Amino acid sequence: MLRVHNLSAGYGSLHVLRRLSLHVKPGEIVTIIGANGAGKSTLLRTITGLLRASSGEVLFKGEDIQRIPPEQVVFRGCSLVPEGRQVFAAMPVRENLLLGAYVQHKRGKRDEVAHDLDRVFGLFPVLRQREHQLAGTLSGGEQQMLAIGRALMARPTLIMLDEPSMGLAPLIVKDIFHIIAKIRDEGCTVLLVEQNARSALKIANRGYVLETGRIILEGDAGDLLANREIQRAYLGKDLDGENK
Amino acid sequence: MFWQQESECMDRKELEQLQLERLESTLNRVYLNVPFYLKKFDEMGFNPDDLSSLDDLGKLPFTAKSDLRENYPYGLFAFPLREVVRVHASSGTTGVSTVVGYTRNDIKTWSNLVGRVLTAGGVTADDVVQISFNYGLFTGAFGLHYGAERVGASVIPMSSGNTKRQIKIMQDFKTTALVSTPSYAMLIADTIREMNIDPNSLSLKWGLFGAEPWSDSMRRELEQKLMIKATDNYGLSEVMGPGVAGECLHQNGLHISEDHFLVEVIDPETLQPVKLGEVGEMVITTLTKEAFPMIRYRTRDLTRLMPETCPCGRTLRRMSRVMGRTDDMLIIRGVNVFPSQIEAVLFDVEGTEPHYQIVIDRKGALDDATVLVEASEKIFFDEMKKQKELIDTIKKRMASELGIAVEVKLVEKKTIERFEGKAKRVIDNRKL
Amino acid sequence: MIVPDIMPLLEVNNIGKRFGGLQAVKDVSFSVQRGTIKAVIGPNGAGKTTLFNLVSGFLPSDTGTITFRDTAIHGKEPHQIAGLGLSRTFQHIRLFSHMTALENVMVGRHVKGRAGFLAGMLGLPGTRREDQAHRDRALEVMDLLGIAAFADTDATSLSYGQQRVVELARALATEPAMLLLDEPAAGLNMRETADMAKLIMKIRDRGITVLIVEHDMSLVMNISDEIVVLSYGEKIADDMPLAVQQNPHVIRVYLGEDDA
């Protein structure tokens, strides 16, 4: 579904991503984990075409995303939930969600929007309760749910999430991740970029570990969870294991 | 039929993507965690960031057996010992042995890859698998043991030796699959015959043989004597152990688990890749090993890749059975000859495991090769004509299979000197 | 009278900074001993950069005190703090184009020169000898960092990794007692990062104290004598690298809850 091949990107002469490759198959949650500064957000920005790659390609359903304008990417079924939630604070929850449906309008599937809205409310009952409340009055966790819900209104086949757990309390993180797994189970493919390695790996099928712009480990999520290399990637070489 | 169908029948393009991803992460990891590779890459002027495709593999340095020895015991480990749950060692025929390690994940991967080999060779959860490899530091027994357990078979950790007891267990426990070296399987087969046991009375169905080179003729003999379907499997402890490759029931080449091992075939002299399908030395790079990754390990094993698709449905490329080792390759009149090739011809002609010796001399500028063959006793009672016919047949076959003319002499049984039960195969009198 | 070297070179006490509703740095205290490397780490949004800007005077603090060389520096301007011997580098390289590497390093010297860098550049009388002294000193620093060969190369034509070292040289050319390094390994490849680690240790071994903010743990864990870990603006650990690595709170902050 998504194939990233030899991707390099950066800002000016600053190389952030160094020739990395990854892929996402239909129906799976693939997570890209890494400490801050590893290049996770740059990777997502490049994958969605917001940042131009200096080399390599990003194929979404066989098409090079770099050559498609960002809104066309959404139209073709790839939605991004950006970091820091970015909901329209002065707008009610319902309107925020309907904004996400504009792609469905363009697709001529206006009559499906009501059903989509129902589905999002089904996933996030709390959003139904807050339907007419201004998004700015929601808690951090609720705003995150709203951001995900809005992306779902575009009926994506691939949804990409940038650090949905950031700044949220552990209990809420648990809820959000539970819902992400549910989204996958309902047939939507998920690319999840996270710092919170443990939570992400628990729901993911496969994962990639990013460190200073390179993938240093990939594999089944369960195997990665058991791999100490991740701890090294986050906190440096195992100093205690040095004298072997 | 398949153990991990999705991986074993993967689209080749997807496979290449996966290989590239895994190669990238492996290189980044060894560069960060193994000082040996850091130093070697730097010496070669290679930075993992420069890798742009699988074709760049050629820019990487080779790793040789001597590198393992020089870093004895744990120098090439990419993880602290705390994360290592198993250590194996290969016997050091020339002194220091080489040590390899496995994390918990490595053991799991290994079991699955052996599971593939076993499944390809016919084994299922319904089988009773007798492991007649030696248990110990050697990877063979434990590798196959864990793989068989993974598949769900009932495993008998028999170990090798005490052949009569092996056969008794085989009868009583209703063993359906025998796992051993081909030569040990042959000994078991011969012992069964000597004991006058009807092979039909056994439950044996499958034979999974490996850890040493063997020929197709030997396979046929084993299949007849033991009433089994016999498959070849390949592996070496330096890159993992058994499970690197294994034959399917089509018995035509061993499917390499290319999603875990990147295989190259090179000319051992020029170190350049040979054309796809040509014979050369196999070089292996591990793609998923955690504790003991290996970059471009020179196996010294000679084989060729078989790019054709296999009717079994696996897309994993096959390698031919190992034809010999670069370190026992003989160059006779400019032609590469392996003792195993000579062995295969003799086996074919004689119909039993041959005892032979190759003697090479230099007369003037020319090499002169003579093959001494221990003939069966009955041939010496036969008329001279029959002896001559046999010699001629062998000579002709050698000429067509090896591409060189050799002299053949029949000698009496047990006249070729043996070391620890094994004949000394080659006497090279040339002063080169 | 000789002042015994037991007082920390830098002491940060209960420092705090709030941006609107966000408490970016809360009640943080730590000290840096002379001749050591101290690192500040923490997940995104932990407040590392803010803390760095507070120490270097780029941001005024709301609460707390900062003492450098027994002088209170909170509330002082960045150039005043630099004048006291505390020099910093930046996350994003700030080199002057159309200037050679050497000239860029000499820019760092202007805080030292009486006649001033501009006068020197213009070749005003009376500054030549001083200029020569600056040049010699700058070259010495470049030599120490292994970039003397590029002295006359245009700074912008150097590789990214070399530019980073030029920046380091510029900060060092001010002859500081303490260096603040803001992500010196950002954008470097693995080899360059390893080289950078060696340079920083070399600088420390010359007696210059280093405070560093860095994401690259291979660098941090290798070179630091002590590490401060921040999370949501608060200090959660302040210890030697091994202890930090094994600190369950730190692991949780980085990798997530074990039972989430």
Side-chain angles (χ1 to χ4, degrees), chain B residues 1-4 8 108-124 143-152 208 240 242-243 257 314:
Chain B
M1 192 61 180
F2 301 105
W3 179 241
Q4 293 175 319
E8 294 175 68
K108 191 175 143 198
T109 307
W110 189 14
S111 307
N112 275 320
L113 295 187
V114 173
R116 289 183 188 180
V117 167
L118 289 164
T119 308
V123 175
T124 68
L144 280 140
H145 181 114
Y146 274 61
E149 275 191 5
R150 184 92 187 162
V151 169
L208 289 106
M240 187 179 75
S257 277
R314 284 176 183 80

Side-chain angles (χ1 to χ4, degrees), chain A residues 3-6 18-23 25 206 208 211 214-220 222-229 232 237-238 240-242 244, chain B residues 6 11 13-14 17-18 20-22 24-26 28-29 32-33 35 49-53 74 77-83 105 108-109 287-288 290:
Chain A
R3 186 183 301 231
V4 174
H5 203 84
N6 240 295
R18 294 170 181 278
R19 293 187 183 279
L20 57 88
S21 304
L22 59 93
H23 71 278
K25 288 182 281 190
R206 291 188 305 115
Y208 294 88
E211 183 185 7
R214 305 162 185 92
I215 287 168
I216 55 126
L217 202 61
E218 57 73 47
D220 288 339
D223 291 351
L224 291 181
L225 209 46
N227 196 320
R228 283 278 292 206
E229 181 72 7
R232 192 204 56 68
K237 197 167 215 158
D238 187 343
D240 197 29
E242 291 279 82
K244 49 188 171 189
Chain B
E6 208 184 319
D11 172 73
K13 193 148 172 94
E14 267 180 45
Q17 168 86 19
L18 188 66
L20 180 65
E21 290 175 11
R22 289 181 166 175
E24 282 173 357
S25 67
T26 299
N28 287 331
R29 233 168 32 239
L32 281 168
N33 294 335
D49 294 344
D50 300 338
L51 185 94
S52 62
S53 83
Y74 299 135
F77 281 32
F79 269 85
L81 268 190
R82 181 200 300 152
E83 304 304 318
N105 279 341
K108 191 175 143 198
T109 307
L287 294 175
T288 51
E290 292 182 354

Side-chain angles (χ1 to χ4, degrees), chain B residues 408-425:
Chain B
V408 177
K409 279 184 185 157
L410 297 182
V411 297
E412 280 183 62
K413 236 186 157 104
K414 308 230 158 120
T415 53
I416 291 173
E417 60 176 319
R418 288 169 167 77
F419 293 94
E420 293 171 354
K422 274 193 156 182
K424 186 162 189 223
R425 294 301 188 206

Side-chain angles (χ1 to χ4, degrees), chain B residues 146-361:
Chain B
Y146 274 61
E149 275 191 5
R150 184 92 187 162
V151 169
S154 316
V155 184
I156 308 169
M158 187 68 211
S159 211
S160 65
N162 202 346
T163 310
K164 288 193 173 149
R165 178 129 197 274
Q166 296 262 2
I167 295 165
K168 171 101 167 79
I169 295 265
M170 207 175 267
Q171 289 175 305
D172 295 350
F173 292 11
K174 303 200 184 331
T175 302
T176 60
L178 175 64
V179 171
S180 69
T181 61
S183 59
Y184 192 61
M186 189 63 86
L187 182 63
I188 291 177
D190 289 339
T191 312
I192 286 173
R193 192 165 280 195
E194 275 166 30
M195 291 166 76
N196 277 324
I197 294 168
D198 177 5
N200 277 314
S201 70
L202 300 172
S203 311
L204 277 184
K205 283 194 289 187
W206 317 110
L208 289 106
F209 306 129
E212 64 187 25
W214 50 310
S215 64
D216 249 332
S217 1
M218 194 163 170
R219 177 196 334 252
R220 283 195 293 276
E221 188 176 341
L222 282 170
E223 289 192 328
Q224 276 163 17
K225 284 184 175 168
L226 291 172
M227 315 276 295
I228 53 169
K229 187 108 174 161
T231 51
D232 189 10
N233 64 74
Y234 175 81
L236 62 167
S237 65
E238 290 84 348
V239 303
M240 187 179 75
V244 174
E247 277 186 325
C248 61
L249 293 174
H250 291 275
Q251 297 177 317
N252 181 22
L254 295 76
H255 292 279
I256 305 163
S257 277
E258 293 173 283
D259 48 341
H260 295 266
F261 304 98
L262 206 50
V263 167
E264 302 165 89
V265 179
I266 63 160
D267 180 325
E269 308 280 321
T270 65
L271 305 182
Q272 293 303 308
V274 300
K275 283 204 196 88
L276 184 59
E278 281 180 7
V279 176
E281 178 182 340
M282 182 151 69
V283 172
I284 301 179
T285 299
T286 64
L287 294 175
T288 51
K289 283 283 288 296
E290 292 182 354
F292 198 78
M294 261 290 131
I295 307 299
R296 298 192 90 200
Y297 182 71
R298 292 192 59 181
T299 63
R300 302 280 169 191
D301 287 326
L302 286 146
T303 184
R304 67 180 197 88
L305 293 179
M306 304 165 69
E308 311 82 16
T309 55
C310 181
C312 73
R314 284 176 183 80
T315 52
L316 298 176
R317 201 167 263 166
R318 287 165 296 163
M319 58 184 263
S320 73
R321 58 168 68 246
V322 172
M323 297 166 182
R325 308 229 346 129
T326 56
D327 34 17
D328 64 24
M329 182 174 77
L330 300 165
I331 303 179
I332 304 174
R333 278 177 235 151
V335 178
N336 296 351
V337 176
F338 297 97
S340 56
Q341 290 175 289
I342 291 173
E343 187 170 327
V345 169
L346 295 176
F347 197 103
D348 244 20
V349 175
E350 289 217 323
T352 56
E353 198 180 1
H355 287 290
Y356 66 95
Q357 191 165 56
I358 306 155
V359 183
I360 311 165
D361 284 297

